Amino acid sequence: MRTLKTSLPLKILNIIGLIIMVAIFAMPFVWMISTSLKTLGETMVFPPKWIPDSLIWGNFELAWNSGPFLQYFINSVLVSVGILIFQFITVIPAAYAFARYEFRFKNVLFSLVMVTMMIPAQLIFLPVFLNLSDWGLLDTLWGLILPFATSAFGIFMLRQTFKQVPEELLEAARLDNSTDFKIMMKIMVPMAKPTLITLGLFNFITHWNDYFWPLVMTTTEQARTLPVGIAQLRQVDGGVAWNILMAGNVILVIPILIIFFFAQRHIIRAFTYTGVK
């Protein structure tokens, strides 16, 4: 009984704390949706109104028709998916080698991979930009994809997952004359499916929302992505049309929410299974 009396207030405090945390994180998102459905006049009133007098769905149509948004959308999909494919091709073999092979300078090389996670992208963008310029890849989708063709974080996270696969399972596969490539693709990759889905989701969100690199690399509408296109909505008739701008941001966020809704179960499993050693 004593335990029950002390745990009940803690449970109530825990629930209240969770509600406050959810409200803090959800507030900007709710405000974005609310603003996207207001008239321009309603976005300027003070004190601000959370619920608009009438829902202006035409803001979304106006935002979409303010530029070649279909082209921006297609470019964002191609760049995000392209980066995802290249990262899986490079990250899976590297993580497998670091997790299951013993070779000279293994720890030094893995430390170098970890160090690259600490370098801000803005610090190295100039030499990367100059290299891509020499290769004639400025203002192209390849210029947006190739600098992110591998991921140190992906190698680290997938290595942790591969290290937890029982060695006896791999020995049984080798006795069955399986090659390392077959072991990696038929045993390791299926067992790391939740981690791969989580990495894919993180990468997709990161590069779907990336504004800096597409802004630096592109100068024409043919290669620009959705975040750069939406940023152009800030200037309409000399002022900021917040309702149109927020409608554009809702359009930007919807694909991420749909993907996260279907992948959230795998994300929880990935972090539960992987752990951090």
Side-chain angles (χ1 to χ4, degrees):
M1 287 296 291
R2 188 174 181 180
T3 305
L4 181 62
K5 285 181 181 177
T6 53
S7 63
L8 184 59
L10 288 176
K11 288 182 179 177
I12 294 173
L13 285 175
N14 189 29
I15 292 172
I16 293 174
L18 288 174
I19 292 173
I20 293 173
M21 290 292 292
V22 170
I24 291 173
F25 281 100
M27 190 180 297
F29 186 72
V30 174
W31 180 255
M32 179 181 69
I33 296 176
S34 171
T35 304
S36 71
L37 295 169
K38 293 177 181 176
T39 62
L40 182 59
E42 285 179 311
T43 64
M44 303 295 181
V45 297
F46 186 84
K49 296 166 60 177
W50 281 91
I51 302 175
D53 294 331
S54 59
L55 304 180
I56 312 299
W57 297 103
N59 289 340
F60 293 96
E61 183 180 358
L62 188 57
W64 185 263
N65 292 329
S66 298
F69 270 75
L70 181 59
Q71 183 66 51
Y72 297 153
F73 184 85
I74 293 172
N75 290 343
S76 288
V77 172
L78 292 175
V79 170
S80 302
V81 174
I83 290 172
L84 211 59
I85 292 172
F86 274 100
Q87 288 201 1
F88 281 161
I89 292 173
T90 56
V91 163
I92 291 174
Y96 180 69
F98 281 122
R100 292 298 176 179
Y101 278 104
E102 293 297 332
F103 51 89
R104 292 183 68 185
F105 308 119
K106 173 184 171 181
N107 292 332
V108 174
L109 290 174
F110 188 68
S111 299
L112 289 175
V113 172
M114 293 296 96
V115 167
T116 61
M117 293 172 61
M118 306 174 192
I119 302 174
Q122 290 79 4
L123 197 64
I124 58 173
F125 91 92
L126 186 56
V128 175
F129 179 88
L130 294 175
N131 278 335
L132 292 174
S133 176
D134 292 338
W135 298 341
L137 295 178
L138 294 184
D139 203 29
T140 66
L141 296 184
W142 285 112
L144 302 179
I145 293 173
L146 289 181
F148 306 99
T150 190
S151 164
F153 175 71
I155 294 172
F156 167 73
M157 195 169 177
L158 204 56
R159 170 183 173 269
Q160 299 303 110
T161 302
F162 284 165
K163 284 173 71 71
Q164 297 188 36
V165 176
E167 183 63 29
E168 293 79 8
L169 193 61
L170 306 186
E171 289 295 334
R174 291 190 184 101
L175 290 174
D176 201 28
N177 294 325
S178 296
T179 62
D180 282 322
F181 181 78
K182 192 174 180 180
I183 291 172
M184 183 177 68
M185 298 306 295
K186 297 290 185 181
I187 298 177
M188 305 295 261
V189 169
M191 295 190 72
K193 183 180 173 184
T195 304
L196 288 170
I197 291 175
T198 304
L199 284 174
L201 183 63
F202 283 170
N203 278 307
F204 187 86
I205 292 173
T206 299
H207 297 290
W208 180 267
N209 289 327
D210 188 17
Y211 173 76
F212 175 75
W213 190 245
L215 180 67
V216 169
M217 283 294 297
T218 59
T219 54
T220 64
E221 307 292 351
Q222 285 70 29
R224 281 181 173 153
T225 55
L226 208 49
V228 178
I230 288 173
Q232 296 175 0
L233 295 174
R234 295 188 63 183
Q235 296 298 327
V236 178
D237 296 331
V240 180
W242 291 107
N243 53 343
I244 307 300
L245 182 61
M246 291 299 113
N249 280 287
V250 171
I251 294 172
L252 178 67
V253 167
I254 285 175
I256 294 175
L257 290 180
I258 293 173
I259 294 173
F260 181 79
F261 177 78
F262 287 105
Q264 56 179 325
R265 180 168 55 88
H266 295 286
I267 295 173
I268 296 171
R269 284 182 58 196
F271 282 102
T272 304
Y273 182 71
T274 302
V276 177
K277 292 182 177 180

